[in-house]
Amino acid sequence: MHLQAEKLLFSSHGSRWKRSLMPIHTLYCTSCNGCSDIANTNKSFPAKNGNSFTITTPLYYVNAAPHLGSAYPTVAADAIARFQRMMGRDVRFITGTDEHGEKIATAAARRDMTPQEHCDDIVASYKHLWEKLDISYDAFVRTTSAAHESLVKAVVHRVAAKGDIYAADYTGWYCVDCEEFKDEGELLEGRRCATHLKPCRWHAETNYFFRLSKYQSDIESLLRSDESSSAPSPSPSATSSSLVMPHARRNEVSIFVTKGLKDFSISRANVDWGVPMPDIGIQIPGSKKDSVEGLQTDSSHSEKGVTDSGRGKEAQQTVYVWFDALVGYLSGLLQCPPLSSATAAPTSSSPSTSADIAHVLAAHGWPADVHVVGKDILRFHALYWPAMLLSAGLPPPRAVFSHGFLTKDGFKMGKSLGNVVDPKALVEAYGADAVRFYLLRENVFGQDGDFSEVALRRAAGTVLANGIGNTLQRSVAILDRSFGGCFPVDSDSLDANAPLRIAAEAAGAAAMAAYQEFRFHDALEAVMKLCAATNAYLDNQEPWKKIKEDESSKAAAGQTLTYVCEAIRIVAVMMHPTTPALSERVFEQLGLSSKEWRWEGVQWGGIQKGSAFPSPSPVFRRIECEMVTMPPAELVSIAQGKTRERKGRDGGVKKEGEGKGKRGGSKEGAKGVTEGQVRKEGESREKGARKEKRSKKEDENVEILDGTEEK
Ligand SMILES: [Zn+2]
């Protein structure tokens, strides 16, 4: 282990090394006080195959059943994974659950279950939902698995071997929901957590700390790596990727980093439900001081002696849930088979604590090309995680993409309004394709968005049922009746300069560029343009009239209908990352194999003369079910009731939720029903906001409560 650690410690400052005072053989570069320039020496990391693409969703915290806030990024990550597979890349798509921590133990106790029973139950509901939503993950990692636990311990050992762990007393304000110590300065009045608005409790314990401060310059350089580019560019080559996307989020993180990174506690003394802290030869408690010059530490904790004698209470410490969970991405990769191209590197899926972890992980597709995360957990992924990896001698992720939160009809989702959207009910009512299409088409990935069931019904009805389903069925029905269930011509017989063919080529190129940059709404805009061009062509050619005329008119009608089917075939290829089941049904209807999806399929000319197709049947069923979420009108009246209630009680108006920016369709949905009410509600909320003069910070935090990752 030590040999490997030393091998990785190349210094750009020359060879002025000295051995640290630690009992562990760690080398320090005297110029940068800790050799924190590893990020710039990528040559020292084993390279992964250039054709591989690794993507992760957050590992969802199992304190409650999955909600829309977990379905949304998972659908988006699935679309990226499917697109990259279509591009011929060796994809590893990791999802899973984060199952440790005090909050889980409490949630289990409330349900009269053991923590493990509780986790198993919630995990089953996640897996069920992902199946319903057609999520094509390669591995589902659980942080309570034995393999994960041993990997966490291995990483702790590697980090300790680097001299990056020390013991210290910590006293401070602790938020149980965040599982995090808070700086006095970031608390609200009454020492309330700015995220959870609940009072923090005073906490004093001895913990192990990770020297995050040592990696200040590494993190700065990772964030700087692509400052010049304003557009997200997770291109397949991955050479121009920047660590944090989109750009606005990168700025937020950069500002935070310039204030100085502080070491953070990576163990808990009184949390039993977690990975036991392994014996790293550092005493808790202890007294001998061993402060390392130049390292910035939080003033509220004091470093303890670092010695391999007098071990006492280590066994009672468990690994901090974030340190544990982040390693889950590595565990997930190791559950997958090694990349097909992996050669000499050892490929054991259960590496020991020794040096081969780096090689094994590279052979399995590490580093991740992108971690998709909520904006509330960006800091853990963009700062803590890369530093942990560098410390462990592993390469940092190539990109962290932060998505926004969804409101419901303009209102924050929450228990008080009873407007939490259950993704399971949605998918049961509308099917995976409609839900996936709506989420990716009607929201800009990376920004805050809105969920409106009215808009979902309209989007699915207009595009999936009419634009694609109806157009295909009409065309195939005529071909079936008049040409015996076979295509009368090659679709390639259409002139290369025909407007429909040009439109299809333009749409394919636009959608590819958009998927590559996670601009799903733009990719689907390109699809809709092609649908519109196809329908215009159909209406213009009127094959249903020509089919009844002479032979040459009938032949022309046959050509028109074949070209329409070809355009819809291309639409199905472009839609595969978003609506995989619909794309398959379209291909089946066209008599084409839907086994393998390749992006090259967007090229014109996929239908052969004489090829047969089955009898016409709808590829997308019409939406006729009842609404399954709270109607906007009801939501507004409940919100008004709450506002009045609070006004009476407090003599002031408290905001229930701020209508946030929405894209066209969804806004209209709520408007149609309750325009007057919405406006009135908006006005009273505005007034309330002025009266109460809540701090900007507090307002921002209202949306953090939307219900994504909290621990
Ligand atoms: Zn909190």
Side-chain angles (χ1 to χ4, degrees), residues 108-137:
R110 260 203 308 271
R111 298 175 72 199
D112 209 14
M113 285 177 162
T114 66
Q116 191 64 58
E117 284 167 352
H118 165 83
C119 291
D120 291 349
D121 181 56
I122 302 286
V123 165
S125 63
Y126 269 98
K127 286 187 170 172
H128 180 72
L129 180 63
W130 295 163
E131 192 190 326
K132 290 259 174 201
L133 273 170
D134 284 333
I135 305 301
S136 61
Y137 59 82

Coordinates of all heavy atoms in Angstrom, one line a residue, residues 108-137:
A108 N -36.6 3.8 10.5 CA -36.9 2.4 10.7 C -37.6 2.2 12.1 O -38.6 1.5 12.1 CB -35.6 1.6 10.7
A109 N -37.1 2.9 13.1 CA -37.7 2.7 14.4 C -39.2 3.2 14.4 O -40.1 2.6 15.0 CB -36.9 3.5 15.5
R110 N -39.4 4.3 13.7 CA -40.8 4.8 13.5 C -41.7 3.8 12.9 O -42.9 3.7 13.2 CB -40.8 6.1 12.7 CG -40.8 7.4 13.5 CD -41.4 8.5 12.7 NE -40.7 8.7 11.4 CZ -39.6 9.4 11.2 NH1 -39.1 10.1 12.2 NH2 -39.1 9.5 10.0
R111 N -41.2 3.0 12.0 CA -42.0 2.0 11.3 C -41.9 0.6 12.0 O -42.4 -0.4 11.5 CB -41.5 1.8 9.9 CG -41.6 3.0 9.0 CD -41.0 2.8 7.7 NE -41.8 1.9 6.8 CZ -41.3 1.3 5.8 NH1 -40.0 1.4 5.4 NH2 -42.1 0.5 5.0
D112 N -41.3 0.6 13.2 CA -41.2 -0.6 14.0 C -40.5 -1.7 13.2 O -40.9 -2.9 13.2 CB -42.6 -1.1 14.4 CG -42.6 -1.8 15.7 OD1 -41.5 -1.8 16.4 OD2 -43.6 -2.5 16.0
M113 N -39.4 -1.3 12.6 CA -38.6 -2.2 11.8 C -37.2 -2.1 12.2 O -36.8 -1.1 12.8 CB -38.7 -1.9 10.3 CG -40.0 -2.2 9.6 SD -39.9 -1.6 7.9 CE -41.2 -2.5 7.1
T114 N -36.4 -3.1 11.9 CA -34.9 -2.9 12.0 C -34.4 -2.1 10.9 O -35.1 -2.0 9.8 CB -34.2 -4.3 11.9 OG1 -34.3 -4.8 10.6 CG2 -34.7 -5.3 13.0
P115 N -33.3 -1.4 11.0 CA -32.8 -0.6 9.9 C -32.7 -1.4 8.6 O -33.1 -0.9 7.5 CB -31.5 -0.1 10.4 CG -31.6 -0.1 11.9 CD -32.5 -1.2 12.2
Q116 N -32.2 -2.6 8.7 CA -32.0 -3.4 7.5 C -33.4 -3.7 6.8 O -33.5 -3.6 5.6 CB -31.2 -4.7 7.8 CG -30.8 -5.4 6.6 CD -29.8 -4.6 5.7 OE1 -28.7 -4.2 6.2 NE2 -30.1 -4.4 4.5
E117 N -34.4 -4.1 7.7 CA -35.7 -4.4 7.1 C -36.3 -3.1 6.4 O -36.8 -3.2 5.3 CB -36.7 -4.8 8.2 CG -36.5 -6.2 8.7 CD -37.2 -6.5 10.0 OE1 -37.8 -5.5 10.6 OE2 -37.2 -7.6 10.5
H118 N -36.1 -2.0 7.1 CA -36.6 -0.7 6.5 C -35.9 -0.5 5.1 O -36.5 -0.2 4.1 CB -36.3 0.4 7.5 CG -36.4 1.8 6.8 ND1 -37.6 2.4 6.7 CD2 -35.5 2.6 6.3 CE1 -37.4 3.6 6.1 NE2 -36.1 3.7 5.9
C119 N -34.5 -0.6 5.1 CA -33.8 -0.4 3.9 C -34.2 -1.3 2.8 O -34.5 -0.9 1.6 CB -32.3 -0.5 4.1 SG -31.6 0.7 5.2
D120 N -34.4 -2.6 3.1 CA -34.8 -3.6 2.1 C -36.1 -3.2 1.5 O -36.3 -3.3 0.3 CB -34.9 -5.0 2.7 CG -33.5 -5.6 3.1 OD1 -32.5 -5.0 2.8 OD2 -33.5 -6.6 3.9
D121 N -37.0 -2.8 2.3 CA -38.3 -2.4 1.9 C -38.3 -1.2 0.9 O -38.9 -1.2 -0.2 CB -39.2 -2.1 3.1 CG -40.6 -1.7 2.7 OD1 -41.3 -2.5 2.0 OD2 -41.1 -0.6 3.1
I122 N -37.6 -0.2 1.3 CA -37.5 1.0 0.5 C -36.7 0.7 -0.8 O -37.1 1.2 -1.9 CB -36.8 2.2 1.2 CG1 -37.5 2.5 2.5 CG2 -36.6 3.4 0.3 CD1 -38.8 3.3 2.4
V123 N -35.7 -0.1 -0.7 CA -34.9 -0.4 -1.9 C -35.8 -1.2 -2.9 O -35.7 -0.9 -4.1 CB -33.7 -1.3 -1.5 CG1 -33.1 -2.0 -2.7 CG2 -32.6 -0.4 -0.8
A124 N -36.7 -2.0 -2.4 CA -37.6 -2.8 -3.3 C -38.5 -1.8 -4.1 O -38.7 -1.9 -5.3 CB -38.4 -3.7 -2.5
S125 N -38.9 -0.7 -3.4 CA -39.8 0.3 -4.1 C -39.0 1.1 -5.1 O -39.5 1.4 -6.2 CB -40.5 1.2 -3.1 OG -39.6 2.0 -2.4
Y126 N -37.7 1.3 -4.9 CA -36.9 2.0 -5.9 C -36.7 1.1 -7.1 O -36.9 1.5 -8.2 CB -35.5 2.3 -5.3 CG -35.4 3.7 -4.7 CD1 -35.5 3.9 -3.3 CD2 -35.3 4.8 -5.5 CE1 -35.5 5.2 -2.8 CE2 -35.2 6.1 -5.0 CZ -35.3 6.2 -3.6 OH -35.3 7.5 -3.1
K127 N -36.4 -0.2 -6.8 CA -36.1 -1.1 -8.0 C -37.4 -1.3 -8.8 O -37.4 -1.3 -10.0 CB -35.6 -2.4 -7.5 CG -34.2 -2.4 -7.0 CD -33.6 -3.7 -6.6 CE -32.1 -3.7 -6.4 NZ -31.6 -4.9 -5.9
H128 N -38.5 -1.3 -8.1 CA -39.8 -1.5 -8.8 C -40.1 -0.3 -9.7 O -40.5 -0.4 -10.9 CB -40.9 -1.7 -7.8 CG -42.3 -1.9 -8.4 ND1 -42.6 -3.0 -9.0 CD2 -43.3 -1.0 -8.4 CE1 -43.9 -2.9 -9.5 NE2 -44.3 -1.7 -9.1
L129 N -39.8 0.9 -9.1 CA -40.1 2.1 -9.9 C -39.2 2.2 -11.1 O -39.6 2.6 -12.2 CB -39.9 3.4 -9.0 CG -40.2 4.7 -9.7 CD1 -41.6 4.8 -10.2 CD2 -39.9 5.9 -8.8
W130 N -37.9 1.9 -10.9 CA -36.9 1.9 -12.0 C -37.3 1.0 -13.1 O -37.2 1.3 -14.3 CB -35.5 1.7 -11.6 CG -34.9 2.7 -10.6 CD1 -33.8 2.5 -9.8 CD2 -35.4 4.1 -10.3 NE1 -33.6 3.7 -9.1 CE2 -34.5 4.6 -9.4 CE3 -36.4 4.8 -10.8 CZ2 -34.7 5.9 -8.9 CZ3 -36.6 6.1 -10.3 CH2 -35.7 6.6 -9.3
E131 N -37.9 -0.2 -12.7 CA -38.3 -1.1 -13.8 C -39.5 -0.5 -14.5 O -39.5 -0.6 -15.8 CB -38.7 -2.4 -13.1 CG -38.9 -3.6 -14.0 CD -39.5 -4.8 -13.3 OE1 -39.2 -5.0 -12.1 OE2 -40.3 -5.5 -14.0
K132 N -40.4 0.0 -13.8 CA -41.6 0.7 -14.5 C -41.2 1.8 -15.4 O -41.9 2.1 -16.4 CB -42.6 1.2 -13.4 CG -43.3 0.1 -12.6 CD -44.7 0.0 -13.1 CE -45.4 -1.2 -12.4 NZ -46.5 -1.7 -13.2
L133 N -40.1 2.5 -15.0 CA -39.7 3.7 -15.8 C -38.7 3.3 -16.9 O -38.1 4.2 -17.5 CB -39.1 4.7 -14.8 CG -40.1 5.7 -14.2 CD1 -39.4 6.6 -13.1 CD2 -40.8 6.7 -15.3
D134 N -38.5 2.0 -17.1 CA -37.5 1.6 -18.1 C -36.1 2.1 -17.9 O -35.4 2.6 -18.8 CB -38.0 2.0 -19.5 CG -39.1 1.2 -20.0 OD1 -39.2 0.0 -19.6 OD2 -39.9 1.6 -20.8
I135 N -35.7 2.1 -16.6 CA -34.3 2.6 -16.3 C -33.3 1.4 -16.6 O -33.4 0.4 -16.0 CB -34.2 3.0 -14.9 CG1 -35.3 4.1 -14.6 CG2 -32.8 3.6 -14.6 CD1 -35.2 5.3 -15.4
S136 N -32.4 1.7 -17.5 CA -31.5 0.6 -18.0 C -30.2 0.6 -17.2 O -29.1 0.6 -17.8 CB -31.2 0.8 -19.4 OG -30.6 2.0 -19.7
Y137 N -30.2 0.6 -15.9 CA -29.0 0.7 -15.1 C -28.2 -0.7 -15.2 O -28.8 -1.7 -15.4 CB -29.3 1.0 -13.6 CG -30.2 0.1 -12.9 CD1 -29.6 -1.1 -12.3 CD2 -31.5 0.3 -12.7 CE1 -30.5 -2.0 -11.6 CE2 -32.3 -0.5 -12.0 CZ -31.8 -1.7 -11.5 OH -32.6 -2.6 -10.8

